[in-house]
Amino acid sequence: MIGIVAVSHSAALGEAAVALALQMAPTAASQVRVAAGAGTDADGTPILGTDAMAVSAAIDDLAPRCEGIVVLMDLGSALMSAELALEFRMSDVPVRLAPAPFVEGLLAAVVAAAAGGSLDDVAAEAAGALEVKTAQLGASSAVASESESESEPADRGDIRRVVVRNALGIHARPAALISEAAAETDLRLRKLPEGPDAAAGSLSRLLLLGARQGDDIEISSSDGAALDRVAALFDDGFGEGVDAAAPLGHGEVPVVAPESADVPETAEVRRRDDRSAGSVLLGRGVSPGIGVAAVVRLGAAPTEPDPSVTVAPDARGEEIGRIGTAAAEVSESFRRRAAAASGEARDILDASRLIADDPELRADASALVRAEGRTAARAVWEVMGEHEKALIAAGGRMAERATDVRDVRDRLLAALSGEALPGVPVRDEPFVLVARDLSPADTSSLAGGSCVALVTEEGGPTSHTAIIARELGLPAVVGVAGATTIADGITVLVDGDAGRIEIDPSSVRVAEAVAAATPVAFDGRGMLADGRALPLLANVGGGEDAALAADAGAEGIGLFRTEFCFLSRTDAPSIDEQTAAYRTVLASFGGKKVVVRTLDAGSDKPLPFANAAQEENPALGVRGLRISRRAPRLLDDQLRALALAAEAEDAQVEVMAPMVATVDEAAEFADRARSAGLARVGVMIETPSAALLAAEILEVVDFASIGTNDLAQYTLAADRLIGELGDLNDPWQPAVLRLVRAIGEAGRAVGKPVGVCGEAASDALLAPMLVGLGATSLSMSYRALGRVAAALRRVDPSSCRAAAEAACAAPRAADARAAALRILGGRVPVPVTASGS
Ligand code: PEP
Ligand code: MG
């Protein structure tokens, strides 16, 4: 990845320019550094100027993580400081000083770097960044046109047609999304019929397309998956809402295929399938439970007020008064809602009330009306928009608050225009609410109503949607790409534990899912029919889960996914922050075993501070333990924090590493963990390599824990996030069962414990099988403990072994399941959890 250093005379200027650029590509945050100002004077006032030492320090800071660095400078002595910095720096990573305009260049460079561009690409993007402005202000764009036609490849691969559906066309944000989605591919776009064309990786060229709503665009690439991703962005209106009248690019516009090539299954066919009966959309389950009902989509947000309308000077006082009236009206409505709510929902509504009545924001909006003649609505739109952007630029939890600001803005606009409030429709019959994102007011208004579950395209586990949904006990799944394209009225099954949305499910499937979600009490002692103990542990992602797991009787924690504590962080948590987070989990399990997994960042759970912005093949990339190759300190800090947490609490802490493939990796991890003061060290076995080397790996660690989710993914070479490959991502696949048996045998041979912590452990039929294959403990969602415990109490070790052998001998997953059912059937409940991811 390429790093960027912004050299500016002014810290305020440098930071603001970087914040602007990062709005286009927030994932690049860890790749950008600002070197600004020349220190401070005796009073602490910043001195304008540049400092070569600061520039070299910024370069050295980025160097260990970057293949190259592009330096952008504002003016004058910044250039000299940057040149001098090349003499002072300690690192030897290639550095390019870009002769680029500071703001435009920074923006283009950040987007190109986030899209995985090379040093040359990023420098070229920065240098060409002024072309957009030049072209728009009337200067010749002949240079651009010429170079475009020169660079057009002879073979354009597959070709599709899409339609621009969002109101604002391909402006900077959609362009940045396209660049990201097509990173490191040859994807190009052409405006039809004969407009210019552009490489997807070039933000400036994409903007020069001048594509507006309703325009047809041809996209071409030899990479079908990239075509799918970019086509999906167009269909979704780049997340900005779509004109319902604008056709979906693929449905109505014929697909143009290369004459001679075999046409693979096209994106539009798959997408139609994705919305057909029984198909599955995946997201992140943030509030547990099952909800089944027809979809209702959230009412539309207000449209952008016209910026060209000017209020006459003598009417401006009255217009300013309207802002105050609207603010008072909206804040009063929040006050009433807050009074009727309780707990966190009330706090959140109170916060929204304060935003609505914020004197600074009101003053800024009033100033725009007074000085520029903006309408009240336009002034509110601009001021709240700036505030929202600033929150997004701040990242992390601050960025999640941007939704609250947008909600307040929409309510102010509704109050100013007298139109109906955007928001949740009122229904008597049960419904599943689907939205791009939900505001706290929307979510809290669902209390006591007919909504049975929530699905959003955006949002994270700490968003207010998630917090309030948990508080209201509404199952919720967030981050579901394409959710808003599910038509109103279609029945969906929302599984808030698994993060799955099943479209138009069969009645059998609904009955299974509801039964699976019905809790069965657990008395806190896992055992087989002969009384042999089989510890049943819980999988958790933080303190709240741990408390629930302890209440549910879990005998300990078998998997603490530490990465879940830091999903919204853009910078690495400090040792103190980590220690505090780990202690919240350990505190619920005093005297009991807690197996803590070091950060499994990457693949479906990328952490900006640990992973590269783009990886060609993230599931096979630098994820899990492999991150310590690049960032050894991250692992050492985590082990240190964990040792401190273990010292401070009573739990019996064990630590294990994810994504281990070799004996050397296991041995090195064990050394580092023990040096940090952690006595019991293990590894997860979730790659076929580790499974086959289990005997040797168990010589160097104290225990193993089998991650059947990834073991199935890697054994069958099937991405676990793709619903349509669910039949391959199935722990009943005999190849997976045989690997589990090999690991169990290795554990028995050396007398070391082998647990299972993948989803398979929560399946009441698979659980006895896993015991028969050699599992010495099972770890699962705390909701599954009672059901699995009941199944195990009905089977003895010999029938577990017989079922396991019969299943392993089977040639197919269905045969393995049937064989197990033949032997265990009648004693265990009919399995109810869906297999796959
Ligand atoms: C697994 O892979 O089975 C596992 C438990 O880890 P995760 O689901 O977090 O990848
Ligand atoms: Mg895993």
Side-chain angles (χ1 to χ4, degrees):
M1 85 181 181
I2 301 304
I4 294 158
V5 172
V7 182
S8 172
H9 281 63
S10 146
L13 171 64
E15 273 152 22
V18 165
L20 184 67
L22 288 177
Q23 277 184 37
M24 303 297 151
T27 52
S30 61
Q31 286 161 258
V32 185
R33 292 288 176 277
V34 181
T40 50
D41 67 16
D43 301 336
T45 312
I47 303 172
L48 294 181
T50 55
D51 176 354
M53 291 309 290
V55 181
S56 69
I59 293 172
D60 287 340
D61 182 35
L62 286 175
R65 284 179 288 122
C66 296
E67 295 145 26
I69 292 174
V70 172
V71 180
L72 287 114
M73 299 134 277
D74 57 8
L75 69 172
S77 69
L79 177 56
M80 210 168 67
S81 293
E83 283 173 341
L84 258 181
L86 298 187
E87 313 277 320
F88 294 156
R89 71 192 176 117
M90 312 292 286
S91 51
D92 54 10
V93 65
V95 175
R96 198 72 58 78
L97 305 186
F102 187 63
V103 176
E104 291 90 340
L106 197 54
L107 199 144
V110 166
V111 171
S118 66
L119 187 57
D120 285 343
D121 296 338
V122 176
E125 271 302 293
L130 215 49
E131 282 174 21
V132 180
K133 204 185 266 174
T134 313
Q136 274 175 11
L137 294 179
S140 164
S141 57
V143 180
S145 320
E146 258 170 50
S147 62
E148 288 296 343
S149 52
E150 269 168 28
S151 59
E152 182 171 331
D155 174 11
R156 293 194 290 146
D158 281 357
I159 301 174
R160 307 256 179 87
R161 285 172 72 174
V162 290
V163 179
V164 181
R165 303 183 79 219
N166 61 318
L168 299 180
I170 303 184
H171 59 98
R173 186 181 158 278
L177 289 174
I178 293 169
S179 291
E180 245 175 63
E184 289 170 5
T185 71
D186 57 355
L187 196 139
R188 298 184 74 82
L189 296 88
R190 180 192 301 277
K191 189 165 130 194
L192 296 175
E194 286 178 12
D197 96 334
S202 166
L203 187 81
S204 54
R205 296 285 195 274
L206 287 174
L207 295 174
L208 281 175
L209 287 177
R212 309 225 179 285
Q213 188 174 42
D215 284 345
D216 286 340
I217 305 288
E218 183 186 79
I219 55 176
S220 59
S221 174
S222 56
D223 184 331
L227 280 173
D228 286 357
R229 288 193 296 272
V230 172
L233 286 173
F234 276 87
D235 287 352
D236 180 41
F238 303 98
E240 297 181 349
V242 295
D243 172 8
L248 273 180
H250 320 279
E252 287 76 10
V253 182
V255 174
V256 183
E259 272 165 30
S260 59
D262 284 348
V263 185
E265 187 191 10
T266 55
E268 65 277 24
V269 173
R270 275 204 296 280
R271 228 183 329 272
R272 266 202 295 276
D273 284 347
D274 285 348
R275 303 288 180 273
S276 64
S279 65
V280 172
L281 296 181
L282 295 174
R284 176 171 295 146
V286 293
S287 179
I290 298 283
V292 189
V295 162
V296 171
R297 285 180 295 181
L298 193 70
T303 49
E304 179 174 353
D306 187 346
S308 63
V309 179
T310 307
V311 179
D314 58 351
R316 290 180 190 173
E318 195 183 324
E319 193 71 359
I320 289 169
R322 295 181 62 227
I323 296 177
T325 312
E329 191 182 309
V330 173
S331 78
E332 172 57 19
S333 80
F334 278 118
R335 195 197 57 71
R336 279 198 305 272
R337 282 160 175 265
S342 60
E344 270 190 279
R346 188 178 48 211
D347 297 345
I348 291 164
L349 289 165
D350 264 337
S352 291
R353 177 177 59 77
L354 294 174
I355 299 171
D357 208 17
D358 185 312
E360 297 282 320
L361 295 176
R362 247 192 359 252
D364 286 354
S366 302
L368 274 181
V369 178
R370 192 177 302 112
E372 312 282 342
R374 298 272 200 282
T375 61
R378 181 70 204 180
V380 164
W381 176 275
E382 289 182 15
V383 168
M384 301 298 274
E386 285 307 313
H387 187 40
E388 184 189 336
K389 279 186 206 153
L391 289 174
I392 293 170
R397 282 169 181 247
M398 295 293 280
E400 291 187 352
R401 300 292 83 85
T403 307
D404 311 3
V405 172
R406 213 178 307 145
D407 170 57
V408 173
R409 179 201 68 187
D410 292 350
R411 284 165 194 277
L412 288 171
L413 292 180
L416 283 166
S417 67
E419 282 172 12
L421 278 179
V424 180
V426 179
R427 290 279 194 284
D428 289 334
E429 65 284 3
F431 67 97
V432 170
L433 184 64
V434 174
R436 190 165 72 86
D437 204 355
L438 281 171
S439 70
D442 290 332
T443 314
S444 63
S445 72
L446 299 169
S450 310
C451 180
V452 299
L454 301 176
V455 178
T456 64
E457 288 191 340
E458 295 180 359
T462 58
S463 67
H464 280 145
T465 301
I467 295 169
I468 299 179
R470 282 195 289 270
E471 196 158 284
L472 298 179
L474 281 178
V477 182
V478 301
V480 183
T484 54
T485 61
I486 307 172
D488 275 344
I490 299 269
T491 299
V492 292
L493 186 161
V494 180
D495 183 337
D497 292 276
R500 292 164 60 96
I501 318 298
E502 294 181 33
I503 316 276
D504 201 6
S506 68
S507 51
V508 173
R509 182 63 203 117
V510 171
E512 281 182 355
V514 170
T518 310
V520 175
F522 175 46
D523 66 6
R525 284 174 60 233
M527 64 168 81
L528 302 184
D530 64 350
R532 191 188 117 186
L534 199 291
L536 296 183
L537 314 168
N539 293 351
V540 301
E544 273 178 41
D545 290 358
L548 291 168
D551 286 348
E555 294 178 75
I557 302 277
L559 169 63
F560 171 16
R561 291 178 162 109
T562 54
E563 64 280 2
F564 278 21
C565 300
F566 307 114
L567 288 175
S568 58
R569 291 289 296 249
T570 50
D571 54 339
S574 67
I575 292 182
D576 285 352
E577 284 173 297
Q578 293 192 56
T579 307
Y582 305 151
R583 284 187 64 179
T584 63
V585 170
L586 305 186
S588 293
F589 282 87
K592 296 192 176 150
K593 172 157 107 170
V594 175
V595 183
V596 182
R597 178 173 76 181
T598 54
L599 294 176
D600 186 19
S603 191
D604 55 322
K605 296 170 289 193
L607 296 181
F609 61 85
N611 298 108
Q614 287 287 336
E615 262 192 313
E616 184 77 14
N617 225 333
L620 301 182
V622 186
R623 71 169 277 200
L625 180 63
R626 297 169 183 188
I627 293 168
S628 66
R629 295 163 182 238
R630 287 186 184 167
R633 171 121 181 250
L634 198 57
L635 176 61
D636 289 333
D637 281 357
Q638 183 174 26
L639 293 171
R640 177 83 195 115
L642 188 52
L644 290 171
E647 259 170 51
E649 300 289 340
D650 280 345
Q652 298 164 15
V653 174
E654 306 189 356
V655 64
M656 66 180 177
M659 273 300 280
V660 169
T662 68
V663 178
D664 284 346
E665 284 175 343
E668 194 191 327
F669 175 74
D671 282 350
R672 292 167 80 149
R674 287 182 186 127
S675 320
L678 294 157
R680 275 190 69 76
V681 184
V683 292
M684 288 198 67
I685 300 215
E686 44 190 353
T687 62
S689 169
L692 295 169
L693 293 168
E696 290 86 345
I697 285 177
L698 277 167
E699 304 235 316
V700 297
V701 295
D702 305 312
F703 66 93
S705 183
I706 306 175
T708 47
N709 309 337
D710 276 321
L711 188 58
Q713 154 165 271
Y714 294 125
T715 303
L716 279 292
D719 188 331
R720 66 193 254 199
L721 295 181
I722 299 182
E724 71 186 276
L725 301 183
D727 59 321
L728 300 178
N729 257 308
D730 181 352
W732 284 102
Q733 286 286 352
V736 178
L737 295 176
R738 290 177 202 179
L739 286 174
V740 173
R741 178 175 62 184
I743 305 163
E745 279 167 3
R748 268 199 298 274
V750 293
K752 292 189 179 173
V754 170
V756 174
C757 64
E759 291 304 300
S762 61
D763 182 312
L765 178 58
L766 261 168
M769 287 266 311
L770 295 170
V771 174
L773 293 171
T776 54
S777 66
L778 299 174
S779 189
M780 64 205 75
S781 156
Y782 69 88
R783 285 187 190 77
L785 288 166
R787 189 174 301 279
V788 170
L792 291 179
R793 282 195 191 179
R794 292 195 206 107
V795 295
D796 55 28
S798 61
S799 50
C800 291
R801 275 196 299 277
E805 276 318 316
C808 279
R812 298 178 191 82
D815 301 327
R817 203 161 183 270
L821 258 179
R822 257 196 314 279
I823 294 171
L824 298 171
R827 273 172 289 181
V828 296
V830 175
V832 286
T833 52
S835 58
S837 61

